[in-house]
Amino acid sequence: MTDHVAVIGAGFAGLCMAIRLTRAGVTSFTVYEKAEELGGVWRDNTYPGAGCDVPSHLYSYSFAPREDWSRAYPLQPELLRYLRDCADAHGVRPRIRCGTEIVAASYDEAKKRWELRTATGAVHHARVLVTAVGQLNRPRFPDLPGREDFAGTAFHSARWDHGHDLAGRTVGVIGTGPSAVQFVPRIAPRVRTLRVFQRSANWVMPKWDYRYGPVHQSLFRTAPGRLAFRGGWFAFCDTVLYSAVRGGRLGKAVEYLCRRQLRTQVPDPVLRARLTPDFPLGCKRVLISDDYLPALTRDNVELVTDRITRITPRGVVTADGTEHALDTLIYGTGFTATEFLAPLTVTGRDGRLLREEAWADGAAAFLGMTVPGFPNLFLLYGPNTNLGNNSVVLMIEAQVRYVLDSLAALDREGRGELEVSSRAYDAFQRRVQEALGETVWQAGCDSWYKTETGKITNNWPYRAARYRTLTRRLAR
């Protein structure tokens, strides 16, 4: 049996695709999910304090607004519950085949369909393949000698060991990115000693998180109220925060807020200097937190800024020769974000491999979704569709609409294949790379937005509104 559409992944993107397919009347599709439950990053990341740094009304589907968000920035349990509720409300759970990992996908040119092979060796077929595996799903560990020799308990924040009690422990945290700024304040009061190993300081802006009260809840029960919050946040993100990405004047207001928060929350001038970034605002992902900086001022917390040279059975050794004794080591070192679709092997026309050949110089796609030589393949949250200033859910919805329009074109025109031309692909890549060169991401700092060669493969260099316009116009 050949499905009309196969979707790989049941996170925000995969569920959005499934729901919109159902609403469009498409009945022949299957969602393949390697885990035993849906949810993507909000299923996997259960560390203390895990939550979203995008306001709840913007980090949700436009077609499935929620009236009872508990707070401005939802935590992981609430986000996972939202996704589960959406799956149930739209009846897509029966379409999700959990515990089924797709390890290879190859295009059959003769039959004009994709062949999908699972980890158990089973084979499935689909006319159209949509990948929705995300950019932030495979934990990254630092390449440090001796990492396997550590005698204590070690784990990545995305695979939190809830069976390990941190009370009274001497804990080390490697990494000071978006995950660390959330869990460090939660574990600092519980541990005996917390050593935070910082490679470089990051910009931290106020989160201004708060719980929604009865007045908010009554307002959210009205469409105008929900639209006001969603629209207001969208406008702020696509103007003020976007200005920061482009190094504009409005972005200076964000820098002022960051500097003011650092000055008021860290009174010690020596510690404050070590927490002051040496790169422009936005070059790396701006962190959003109200309690991370105060956590670093606690008596039982030590900020270590000397470079790590190796890990020993007893702890971490830094460049000054100090061995920092630890019994627990937590890696808050992010994900292999530039390794798109890994470890999935995708083979297109003439046996061409997507990651190994087409993407030998870094992942790229037309509108982040399609690649020449790979017919009827669409990538959700693909290359250059991540945002440094807005909600990626907006991008996902625009992509899903584009895929639906493409499916309609296939049916309407009676075509067996839909494939972007090399000319359109190359022209798009030139425009995107030129625009990326004008952003602060090219200011010289290292970030998960870039490959080892310095190519930015993850971020969209324009406003989110422009992406929505482009995907709507080019799909017609």
Side-chain angles (χ1 to χ4, degrees):
M1 178 180 175
T2 300
D3 274 330
H4 188 46
V5 182
V7 182
I8 303 177
F12 249 106
L15 283 178
C16 185
M17 189 76 252
I19 292 169
R20 293 304 301 270
L21 284 170
T22 299
R23 294 178 62 173
V26 179
T27 58
S28 177
F29 74 90
T30 301
V31 180
Y32 297 94
E33 170 55 54
K34 66 179 180 180
E36 297 299 329
E37 179 59 280
L38 60 84
V41 295
W42 301 115
R43 175 200 61 235
D44 295 341
N45 288 267
T46 60
Y47 57 82
C52 190
D53 56 9
V54 176
S56 52
H57 288 279
L58 202 55
Y59 198 79
S60 52
Y61 302 130
S62 62
F63 56 82
R66 182 171 175 176
E67 302 174 2
D68 60 345
W69 289 112
S70 67
R71 60 189 316 111
Y73 294 86
L75 296 176
Q76 177 267 339
E78 191 168 15
L79 285 165
L80 183 58
R81 185 167 62 251
Y82 170 77
L83 291 175
R84 289 172 173 170
D85 289 347
C86 285
D88 292 335
H90 292 87
V92 299
R93 274 192 187 267
R95 300 284 182 180
I96 304 174
R97 189 170 296 184
C98 290
T100 306
E101 181 180 5
I102 303 298
V103 296
S106 58
Y107 188 68
D108 186 328
E109 297 183 59
K111 297 181 179 179
K112 292 182 172 54
R113 69 181 186 183
W114 283 92
E115 179 180 287
L116 312 178
R117 189 171 299 276
T118 72
T120 62
V123 175
H124 305 278
H125 298 95
R127 182 185 181 198
V128 174
L129 175 60
V130 179
T131 63
V133 297
Q135 298 183 14
L136 308 176
N137 60 80
R138 298 176 65 231
R140 184 182 68 84
F141 290 88
D143 184 17
L144 292 171
R147 188 168 66 83
E148 301 299 329
D149 299 332
F150 183 63
T153 299
F155 53 88
H156 194 281
S157 61
R159 303 292 185 266
W160 196 270
D161 186 352
H162 291 279
H164 181 65
D165 188 4
L166 295 177
R169 304 277 188 180
T170 300
V171 180
V173 173
I174 298 178
T176 54
S179 299
V181 301
Q182 294 183 340
F183 71 74
V184 163
R186 296 298 185 97
I187 69 173
R190 296 164 49 194
V191 304
R192 183 179 68 180
T193 302
L194 180 62
R195 296 190 172 96
V196 179
F197 296 89
Q198 173 186 279
R199 185 175 61 176
S200 62
N202 288 309
W203 291 98
V204 183
M205 70 174 290
K207 194 170 187 178
W208 296 318
D209 191 18
Y210 60 95
R211 295 192 65 84
Y212 288 137
V215 174
H216 291 99
Q217 299 291 356
S218 62
L219 184 63
F220 299 154
R221 284 192 286 272
T222 68
R226 294 192 300 271
L227 287 174
F229 268 73
R230 185 179 177 90
W233 276 115
F234 175 81
F236 173 78
C237 292
D238 235 26
T239 53
V240 177
L241 295 186
Y242 178 74
S243 177
V245 168
R246 303 288 293 191
R249 292 182 179 179
L250 287 176
K252 297 298 181 182
V254 181
E255 181 177 332
Y256 168 77
L257 291 173
C258 293
R259 291 188 182 278
R260 183 177 182 274
Q261 177 169 256
L262 178 60
R263 188 169 58 252
T264 56
Q265 292 188 340
V266 184
D268 180 3
V270 176
L271 178 59
R272 189 164 64 243
R274 296 164 69 196
L275 290 168
T276 300
D278 59 359
F279 52 83
L281 177 81
C283 186
K284 292 185 178 183
R285 182 174 175 179
V286 177
L287 307 180
I288 302 178
S289 175
D290 296 328
D291 52 8
Y292 174 66
L293 295 174
L296 298 180
T297 67
R298 293 177 57 92
D299 292 339
N300 69 325
V301 177
E302 177 187 1
L303 181 70
V304 182
T305 56
D306 290 301
R307 180 176 56 86
I308 297 175
T309 58
R310 68 182 189 277
I311 296 176
T312 69
R314 295 176 297 277
V316 170
V317 177
T318 49
D320 62 352
T322 302
E323 182 178 40
H324 303 269
L326 306 168
D327 55 49
T328 303
L329 185 55
I330 304 173
Y331 293 97
T333 46
F335 303 87
T336 57
T338 61
E339 297 178 9
F340 288 83
L341 302 190
L344 176 65
T345 299
V346 180
T347 309
R349 291 191 191 278
D350 303 319
R352 185 170 173 77
L353 296 171
L354 181 60
R355 288 191 297 108
E356 296 81 353
E357 297 180 80
W359 288 351
D361 296 325
F366 179 72
L367 289 174
M369 288 184 279
T370 57
V371 183
F374 295 83
N376 296 356
L377 171 65
F378 298 91
L379 289 74
L380 301 184
Y381 194 24
N384 295 118
T385 62
N386 182 66
L387 292 172
N389 62 292
N390 215 314
S391 171
V392 74
V393 179
L394 301 172
M395 305 290 278
I396 289 170
E397 286 200 54
Q399 291 158 16
V400 167
R401 185 189 61 242
Y402 183 92
V403 174
L404 289 173
D405 287 343
S406 299
L407 292 177
L410 277 172
D411 294 336
R412 182 173 62 250
E413 300 170 14
R415 299 161 61 183
E417 297 175 322
L418 193 63
E419 179 182 351
V420 65
S421 69
S422 295
R423 180 180 178 181
Y425 174 88
D426 292 339
F428 178 78
Q429 293 308 315
R430 285 194 298 271
R431 292 196 301 272
V432 167
Q433 291 305 315
E434 288 173 2
L436 285 169
E438 300 171 355
T439 66
V440 294
W441 302 318
Q442 292 285 29
C445 65
D446 294 328
S447 73
W448 60 266
Y449 306 146
K450 301 178 181 179
T451 64
E452 292 183 357
T453 62
K455 180 181 179 180
I456 298 175
T457 58
N458 294 72
N459 284 5
W460 176 247
Y462 304 108
R463 301 178 195 274
R466 181 167 181 177
Y467 187 81
R468 296 167 72 182
T469 300
L470 285 174
T471 52
R472 184 178 291 112
R473 184 174 69 225
L474 293 174
R476 285 166 169 76

